[in-house]
Amino acid sequence: MGVTQACGALRRPLSDGSKADLGELYEWSGYSLWTESNANLADGETTRSNGITMRNTKKPFAFAILWMCALAAPSFAQQPERVFNWLPGNQEDVRLDPANYHAGTTYHASGDGGNMQVDIKSELPVTIFLVHAEEWNGALQHPETLNNLQQLCTREHIVEARYSCFVPPVAMTLIIRDERYSTESSEHAVFSGLGAVLDRSNRVERAVGVGITGIEAVVAGRESAKRQFKAPNDVHIQYFRWLCVENCVQPEFRWTWQVKEKYQLTSFLKVYGGFTPDHDGSQVSIKIKSPVPMVVAMLPSEIANQLHAKPEMFEPALEKNPCQQRGVQSLEFQCTFNLADGPQSLIVAPEATDRVPHKKAEIEMQFVKCIENCELLQSKR
């Protein structure tokens, strides 16, 4: 398969005639996935939204084909690429006693996983890591297993730092642990308790309590007296989201049927009009299936409309036309047009007009059309 064929296969419309959404092509550079939990957003909203950027691990061959296609043909509408960056999301202020744990956001990455990022600022050193959410929930029920947690991206002795980690495609919970030694409990080496989120309106089971009993009290709504800390360590957590910051709203395109029919072959030229490119790099896909060799071409409508009355114009019109196929019986091909090309018409005819069988030929044509945010195309002309 050559480069042109491979690229055509990537851009080809659906064979069953359904519309293929080409807006997804703009997402090849990456996409984002947000996690949600009950906490306060930095901007005052009530839904937590933290970003994960996804890693794309396609096979090298697929990357090579995409790269060759980028060189071989212009992208749809040649729009500037979206630009993404880390932006502040929700934040938490947490108070810890010695050896306390705090469970932050649980990330749910799909596909091959993605990156997360938070800023940590603590009065006293803490350890930060990710752990499987299921494993963490099990450890809360059985605190003696906390020392055996399988930690990911562990960082110790943190006072102020930006913490990041690649999150696998499973639910992973962010854990912060106060590094100080606790002597208040015989189980201090295993589990001393949970920290408290300073926003008391946030009544989530992972946010506040002293051990398992404290969690149960919060969930049941039975928490009464304000917790007293022996040696508080205040920790600020700033979550970040991976968001589009430039060129975020772009036109969206879709394959649209223009011609799809079986017609009785004759010696006369068949002309289909009605296609006008609405952006530079507009693509047209043409498919022909015929019992005899055919000529298939896209010509400017002003020329195509004269060919019946002036058949002598036919061959000269094709001489400099790049979008044509001669002597074909079964073929699908694509052509690209710009705004300056103006209205175009599809023409088909048997190559030999003196021996035309009483049979039918199948002809299909689709083109890429802007279907949303099309006013942006007008503003850039």
Side-chain angles (χ1 to χ4, degrees), residues 4-133:
T4 302
Q5 291 174 303
C7 296
L10 291 172
R11 297 190 300 269
R12 188 172 298 127
L14 300 183
S15 58
D16 62 359
S18 60
K19 297 178 180 179
D21 189 354
L22 298 181
E24 295 178 353
L25 296 178
Y26 292 107
E27 302 302 329
W28 284 350
S29 60
Y31 63 97
S32 59
L33 178 69
W34 316 123
T35 64
E36 294 185 355
S37 62
N38 295 323
N40 290 332
L41 286 172
D43 57 6
E45 297 178 0
T46 58
T47 302
R48 162 172 282 177
S49 180
N50 302 309
I52 295 182
T53 59
M54 312 313 296
R55 175 181 293 173
N56 193 341
T57 56
K58 302 291 184 182
K59 293 181 179 180
F61 174 76
F63 275 125
I65 290 296
L66 291 176
W67 175 247
M68 288 187 290
C69 291
L71 297 178
S75 62
F76 290 99
Q78 296 180 332
Q79 296 299 315
E81 291 186 0
R82 292 185 176 97
V83 178
F84 291 81
N85 202 354
W86 291 106
L87 295 180
N90 55 294
Q91 54 188 336
E92 282 183 317
D93 290 300
V94 181
R95 182 161 292 168
L96 303 173
D97 258 341
N100 276 183
Y101 287 83
H102 171 70
T105 286
T106 295
Y107 294 93
H108 299 272
S110 61
D112 297 319
N115 296 313
M116 54 77 65
Q117 182 170 290
V118 297
D119 277 352
I120 302 292
K121 188 173 183 180
S122 176
E123 292 182 350
L124 297 168
V126 294
T127 294
I128 310 169
F129 58 90
L130 289 173
V131 66
H132 285 263

Side-chain angles (χ1 to χ4, degrees), residues 81-298:
E81 291 186 0
R82 292 185 176 97
V83 178
F84 291 81
N85 202 354
W86 291 106
L87 295 180
N90 55 294
Q91 54 188 336
E92 282 183 317
D93 290 300
V94 181
R95 182 161 292 168
L96 303 173
D97 258 341
N100 276 183
Y101 287 83
H102 171 70
T105 286
T106 295
Y107 294 93
H108 299 272
S110 61
D112 297 319
N115 296 313
M116 54 77 65
Q117 182 170 290
V118 297
D119 277 352
I120 302 292
K121 188 173 183 180
S122 176
E123 292 182 350
L124 297 168
V126 294
T127 294
I128 310 169
F129 58 90
L130 289 173
V131 66
H132 285 263
E134 183 177 353
E135 188 177 356
W136 170 252
N137 292 333
L140 290 180
Q141 301 299 320
H142 303 282
E144 67 276 7
T145 66
L146 280 167
N147 275 352
N148 299 321
L149 291 175
Q150 297 297 312
Q151 301 179 10
L152 178 66
C153 299
T154 302
R155 290 188 62 182
E156 299 178 328
H157 318 313
I158 297 299
V159 174
E160 184 171 359
R162 175 156 294 187
Y163 174 84
S164 61
C165 183
F166 181 78
V167 183
V170 293
M172 301 292 291
T173 300
L174 176 70
I175 304 296
I176 299 174
R177 183 180 186 277
D178 191 293
E179 294 182 354
R180 293 172 296 170
Y181 184 80
S182 173
T183 60
E184 292 187 358
S185 169
S186 60
E187 296 180 342
H188 61 266
V190 178
F191 183 68
S192 180
L194 298 180
V197 174
L198 298 185
D199 176 12
R200 307 301 292 178
S201 65
N202 184 12
R203 302 173 64 82
V204 292
E205 62 184 19
R206 63 167 176 77
V208 66
V210 182
I212 306 305
T213 303
I215 294 176
E216 294 174 346
V218 173
V219 175
R222 299 192 302 269
E223 183 187 15
S224 55
K226 184 176 180 180
R227 177 175 173 183
Q228 300 297 316
F229 287 84
K230 303 298 183 182
N233 177 20
D234 287 344
V235 181
H236 179 74
I237 309 169
Q238 174 65 68
Y239 296 94
F240 287 87
R241 299 177 293 170
W242 183 249
L243 296 176
C244 179
V245 295
E246 293 182 27
N247 308 317
C248 302
V249 178
Q250 296 190 357
E252 296 184 14
F253 303 89
R254 185 169 297 171
W255 285 104
T256 302
W257 285 110
Q258 182 67 19
V259 177
K260 185 177 183 181
E261 73 163 359
K262 294 182 179 180
Y263 81 97
Q264 187 67 49
L265 288 172
T266 69
S267 58
F268 293 101
L269 184 71
K270 187 81 169 177
V271 179
Y272 301 92
F275 166 66
T276 301
D278 60 5
H279 60 276
D280 287 341
S282 294
Q283 283 195 309
V284 173
S285 179
I286 303 165
K287 184 177 182 180
I288 182 73
K289 187 176 182 181
S290 170
V292 297
M294 303 284 285
V295 55
V296 186
M298 293 290 293

